[in-house]
Amino acid sequence: MSLRDRKIIVTGGPTREWIDPVRYISNASSGKMGVALADAAHAVSGETVFIHGPMDNSLLSGRPFRITGVESTEDLLEAVMGELTGGAVLIMAAAPADYRPAERSNLKIKKSSDELRIDLVKNPDILKTVASRKAADPSLAGLFVVGFAAETHDVEAYALSKLKEKDLDMICLNDVAREGAGFSTDTNIVVVFTRDGERLDFPLMTKRDLAAGILEKIEAELGRRDR
């Protein structure tokens, strides 16, 4: 079954975890890689949905596929789980916050001392949750899951560990410390690792061209497994 016959779910952008009504924990993800992947998915799939965190609306305007906006990591998890179907492709390019404040203040926290301590609790791991659901739910047979790893050090070791621990079919390693790669840029550098031990290097290129290359690799992997 080709990508034309599969639903493709793409996530992108950051999430926000609110501390009080004016402050939040987030990261520098722009969502540009996610949008590029959703555009590439729409070009080859009969059904594409893009689930995104807070990002510039100009990046979303006029897109021809279905778009769902979320804010927190828990919101993102709920939206992703609600879209999963058997045979679908999930591309998790979003950068969800790993932690959230244990308590959110209803009022703005005032400056009162030289130090402020905020207790954080771990957010749910979306890819691990997807893996658990896939293993337990026969209706999700054939779900193909692609993760992203945005790293600054020990990059390959971490990506390969994530590939195994989260039971991914493929992972896209993004060394954000390299010039021209990472958040907010229009270019990227990615190394793809597959479940079967294959490696594919994408040199510096536009995120649009990279997205098309990643979708071609997914199509090839699915075709190989269908033989």
Side-chain angles (χ1 to χ4, degrees):
M1 185 167 63
S2 72
L3 287 178
R4 179 60 58 189
D5 302 312
R6 295 176 186 264
K7 177 181 183 180
I8 303 181
I9 307 154
V10 181
T11 71
T15 60
R16 290 177 179 172
E17 306 295 342
W18 288 91
I19 298 169
D20 64 18
V22 299
R23 303 179 182 93
Y24 55 79
I25 296 170
S26 190
N27 58 63
S29 174
S30 65
K32 289 181 177 180
M33 191 71 241
V35 170
L37 285 161
D39 285 341
H42 177 72
V44 297
S45 171
E47 181 181 6
T48 297
V49 57
F50 181 50
I51 307 173
H52 68 89
M55 52 187 288
D56 190 332
N57 285 332
S58 67
L59 296 173
L60 304 170
S61 178
R63 285 317 194 270
F65 40 80
R66 186 159 53 90
I67 295 175
T68 299
V70 299
E71 188 158 33
S72 70
T73 296
E74 290 183 322
D75 295 338
L76 180 59
L77 172 62
E78 181 179 358
V80 167
M81 300 307 287
E83 294 288 350
L84 297 181
T85 58
V89 174
L90 171 63
I91 307 175
M92 275 290 300
D98 293 328
Y99 292 86
R100 67 182 186 277
E103 295 183 4
R104 174 180 172 176
S105 174
N106 292 324
L107 300 175
K108 179 182 177 182
I109 299 171
K110 296 297 184 180
K111 181 169 58 177
S112 60
S113 64
D114 291 338
E115 294 184 357
L116 172 65
R117 298 187 185 278
I118 300 173
D119 290 329
L120 303 177
V121 295
K122 188 178 290 187
N123 269 324
D125 187 308
I126 296 174
L127 285 174
K128 282 187 176 180
T129 305
V130 169
S132 296
R133 177 72 63 84
K134 179 182 175 182
D137 188 348
S139 72
L140 295 183
L143 176 66
F144 189 93
V145 184
V146 181
F148 268 70
E151 299 300 323
T152 60
H153 62 281
D154 297 331
V155 291
E156 290 192 18
Y158 181 81
L160 291 171
S161 174
K162 186 174 182 179
L163 177 70
K164 181 178 180 180
E165 290 177 3
K166 304 189 180 186
D167 195 26
L168 304 178
D169 296 286
M170 203 167 94
I171 192 163
C172 302
L173 167 60
N174 183 198
D175 183 349
V176 296
R178 298 182 66 181
E179 185 176 355
F183 298 139
S184 300
T185 66
D186 292 320
T187 59
N188 214 345
I189 304 167
V190 159
V191 180
V192 169
F193 297 98
T194 70
R195 179 191 294 272
D196 297 325
E198 186 178 355
R199 172 185 176 134
L200 178 61
D201 287 72
F202 288 96
L204 180 68
M205 63 181 67
T206 66
K207 288 182 175 177
R208 180 175 296 276
D209 288 343
L210 174 60
I214 290 171
L215 266 294
E216 287 177 6
K217 179 58 180 171
I218 293 171
E219 180 87 86
E221 281 296 296
L222 291 170
R224 185 175 60 81
R225 295 181 188 194
D226 287 342
R227 287 199 295 269

